[in-house]
Amino acid sequence: MHVDRTTTARPVGRRLLGGALALAVGSGLALVGGAGTALAADVNNARNAGFENGLANWSCSAGSGTAVASPTHGGTGALKALPAGLDNAKCVQTVAVKPNATYTLSAWVQGGYAYLGASGTGTGTGTVSTWTPDSPSWKQLTTTFTTGASTTSVEVFTHGWYGTAAYFVDDVSVYGPDGGGTPDPDPVVPATPAGLAAGTPTTSAVPLSWNAVSGATSYKVYKDGALAATVSGTSTTVTGLTADTAYSFQVAAANAAGESAKSAAVSARTAKTGGGGGDNPAVPKHAVTGYWQNFDNGAAKQKLRDVQDAYDIIAVSFADSTATPGQIVFNLDPAVGYASVADFKADIAAKKAAGKSVIISVGGEKGNVTINSDASATAFANSAYALFQEYGFNGIDIDLEHGINSTYLIKALRQLSAKAGPSMVLTMAPQTIDMQNTGTEYFKTALAVKDILTVVNTQYYNSGSMLGCDGKVYSQGSVDFLTALACIQIQGGLDPSQVGLGVPASTRGAGSGYVAPSVVNSALDCLTKLTGCGTFKPAQAWPTLRGAMTWSTNWDATAGNAWSNAVGPHVHGLP
């Protein structure tokens, strides 16, 4: 916290009806040949194949497996398993099968090294398997096996490789004759999606998002009644549109059983050609963010014109709440030394003219804004936009450290984005605990507004020890702490360009967690080039990582600008 403010075509994973069933769906049998021999339909014999019921029916070595809500290939669950030490994170399920039968074993995997196989087949060596090295997106592994004359069950397994990154598994299928082991029930047509919303349009595209539907394996997006896209997740951007044109969008959920009714329609108009940018500068590919203190707490007092040139995004700290829930105002503190509000506004305009983004920050250690209803969400959006218009702010920073309600904060940010347009800068500064997993309110918010989000600068200080993306515990104040925790956000679904490293500018800027600028630069190199790493090294480089943030420009100035002089050029020199 900022502590120093004094003021595929066949879905798998569910029981499926094979082609042999097409002639007798009602009975579950198909008649083949003139003699009318009845053959049972092939099914997926795996249970809890999509991990919709957590780890039920599965067992993982050394507690290495967990059920996660993101990323998923289909439905609302997936397996995450993390190898550690001499354990390869093996997860198994005993599956009932028929003797002398052939089965197709498949699963979708992502992340680190992933193996899929079956043992105890009763033929050959008794074991078959397949594998893949690191896979940044979902990839299907497939193999086959034949059971022996007396084999009635096999052990299906997945595992990773020692010392590598976590792997994810979803939609496992053991497809073949029904072994009688009560596999997952046949799918039913999913419910109609709710919560369809349009993000900020550009001249040729409209971003859309909606709520997940249980049992859905894909979603069909319609534009003016015609199918525009089929996606596996709960968001997409419809492109190829005409500028300054209104469109109507709907979404339906689908699985092997069919497609739901279409959702309620949402309308959106694309932006006019040449419009929307105003005088707002673009944020550079690699950016440095700094908080500017609108109060005196012993750090060097600055006017905005004095903020060091290394900072690309300047977050004015902080807006104030009012008696109206969600509403914010800004009160320029006389202690800063401005002769008038007009001078402050002129400094904002000058910084923007120099290519800097000047945004208003909401929250801090002592600041709190309550957004927990539709009314308060609207009040937030309206009042924030009013500040944009009055002062010239070209974005907003969410630094709420006293809990947030993701449902209504998402609504508020979308309303604000619709008012401000596509050039609005949106940053966030969650505490480390807020970004440990995708189930937190902060992480859910960031993912839900990903299409309008500029960067999340997690505060890697005042937090003690935390888990990294490899499941190991790291202490703050180290390269490993910065890199292993930043990795969580990327693995959780944020684009690397939306991830920044938040650190104090000096030992006085935070209660704990200060690292030398050289450590920040090493962490940036580790994440973008795989050089300068500590004991933790990511499975891949993320050269588009956005950059770094510091609290604050004032504490930086107090320490002789050591932070911005070292980190600024390094960020701007990233690949």
Side-chain angles (χ1 to χ4, degrees), residues 237-331:
T237 297
V238 180
T239 60
L241 307 179
T242 303
D244 196 20
T245 303
Y247 293 90
S248 177
F249 300 97
Q250 294 171 283
V251 63
N255 62 15
E259 179 180 332
S260 74
K262 296 182 181 68
S263 69
V266 167
S267 297
R269 177 177 287 274
T270 49
K272 296 180 180 180
T273 302
D279 62 347
N280 294 337
V283 175
K285 176 182 177 181
H286 298 297
V288 181
T289 302
Y291 285 82
W292 174 83
Q293 298 179 186
N294 178 43
F295 49 87
D296 180 10
N297 66 342
K301 288 186 288 186
Q302 290 180 317
K303 293 184 173 67
L304 279 178
R305 70 193 72 155
D306 302 323
V307 171
Q308 302 87 329
D309 190 57
Y311 294 101
D312 306 292
I313 303 174
I314 304 168
V316 172
S317 312
F318 295 95
D320 296 305
S321 59
T322 73
T324 301
Q327 186 180 66
I328 61 172
V329 295
F330 179 72
N331 299 300

Side-chain angles (χ1 to χ4, degrees), residues 397-480:
D397 170 68
I398 305 301
D399 185 17
L400 296 170
E401 300 180 0
H402 301 278
I404 64 174
N405 183 313
S406 61
T407 299
Y408 294 104
L409 180 55
I410 291 164
K411 290 185 176 182
L413 293 175
R414 290 217 170 272
Q415 289 182 46
L416 178 57
S417 174
K419 292 174 178 292
S423 64
M424 184 185 84
V425 175
L426 172 58
T427 68
M428 297 181 180
Q431 299 171 97
T432 50
I433 193 67
D434 294 321
M435 300 300 284
Q436 279 280 280
N437 64 77
T438 56
T440 68
E441 293 296 287
Y442 240 114
F443 215 140
K444 287 192 291 187
T445 300
L447 292 175
V449 298
K450 182 178 176 180
D451 58 296
I452 60 172
L453 178 64
T454 306
V455 62
V456 176
N457 292 304
T458 302
Q459 302 175 39
Y460 294 123
Y461 47 96
N462 294 336
S463 58
S465 299
M466 288 284 167
L467 289 171
C469 64
D470 57 355
K472 297 179 181 178
V473 177
Y474 294 98
S475 299
Q476 66 178 2
S478 65
V479 170
D480 288 335

Side-chain angles (χ1 to χ4, degrees), residues 20-422:
L21 194 58
L23 299 179
V25 173
S27 66
L29 301 175
L31 301 179
V32 295
T37 303
L39 298 176
D42 284 351
V43 300
N44 179 10
N45 289 273
R47 291 170 292 169
N48 190 25
F51 301 94
E52 312 301 325
N53 297 313
L55 295 185
N57 307 112
W58 293 90
S59 176
C60 297
S61 60
S64 57
T66 58
V68 296
S70 178
T72 65
H73 175 260
T76 59
L79 166 69
K80 176 183 179 181
L82 178 64
L86 299 178
D87 178 64
N88 63 0
K90 185 175 183 179
C91 298
V92 301
Q93 179 182 142
T94 300
V95 177
V97 294
K98 283 189 175 297
N100 295 321
T102 298
Y103 292 85
T104 298
L105 171 63
S106 67
W108 290 85
V109 299
Q110 181 178 315
Y113 279 71
Y115 292 72
L116 173 71
S119 60
T121 66
T123 60
T125 63
T127 301
V128 299
S129 66
T130 183
W131 68 284
T132 184
D134 302 0
S135 178
S137 58
W138 288 107
K139 177 180 182 179
Q140 190 175 35
L141 294 179
T142 303
T143 188
T144 62
F145 63 87
T146 300
T147 56
S150 59
T151 302
T152 58
S153 67
V154 298
E155 186 176 82
V156 172
F157 63 83
T158 67
H159 67 76
W161 196 247
Y162 309 97
T164 60
Y167 68 93
F168 297 84
V169 181
D170 201 1
D171 294 335
V172 180
S173 177
V174 185
Y175 196 74
D178 190 342
T182 61
D184 293 348
D186 295 332
V188 295
V189 176
T192 303
L196 177 63
T200 303
T202 66
T203 56
S204 61
V206 173
L208 300 170
S209 62
W210 55 91
N211 298 337
V213 176
S214 178
T217 57
S218 66
Y219 298 91
K220 296 182 181 294
V221 179
Y222 293 87
K223 178 193 71 179
D224 294 337
L227 182 64
T230 300
V231 298
S232 59
T234 56
S235 64
T236 192
T237 297
V238 180
T239 60
L241 307 179
T242 303
D244 196 20
T245 303
Y247 293 90
S248 177
F249 300 97
Q250 294 171 283
V251 63
N255 62 15
E259 179 180 332
S260 74
K262 296 182 181 68
S263 69
V266 167
S267 297
R269 177 177 287 274
T270 49
K272 296 180 180 180
T273 302
D279 62 347
N280 294 337
V283 175
K285 176 182 177 181
H286 298 297
V288 181
T289 302
Y291 285 82
W292 174 83
Q293 298 179 186
N294 178 43
F295 49 87
D296 180 10
N297 66 342
K301 288 186 288 186
Q302 290 180 317
K303 293 184 173 67
L304 279 178
R305 70 193 72 155
D306 302 323
V307 171
Q308 302 87 329
D309 190 57
Y311 294 101
D312 306 292
I313 303 174
I314 304 168
V316 172
S317 312
F318 295 95
D320 296 305
S321 59
T322 73
T324 301
Q327 186 180 66
I328 61 172
V329 295
F330 179 72
N331 299 300
L332 184 63
D333 192 331
V336 176
Y338 275 102
S340 68
V341 173
D343 286 348
F344 175 69
K345 293 177 180 178
D347 274 5
I348 293 176
K351 279 294 184 181
K352 290 170 64 179
K356 312 301 183 182
S357 294
V358 184
I359 64 178
I360 181 68
S361 182
V362 181
E365 182 205 5
K366 297 186 177 181
N368 191 33
V369 178
T370 302
I371 307 170
N372 58 5
S373 67
D374 286 325
S376 58
T378 299
F380 178 85
N382 289 343
S383 59
Y385 186 57
L387 294 181
F388 287 13
Q389 293 179 301
E390 180 180 357
Y391 290 92
F393 298 125
N394 56 309
I396 196 160
D397 170 68
I398 305 301
D399 185 17
L400 296 170
E401 300 180 0
H402 301 278
I404 64 174
N405 183 313
S406 61
T407 299
Y408 294 104
L409 180 55
I410 291 164
K411 290 185 176 182
L413 293 175
R414 290 217 170 272
Q415 289 182 46
L416 178 57
S417 174
K419 292 174 178 292

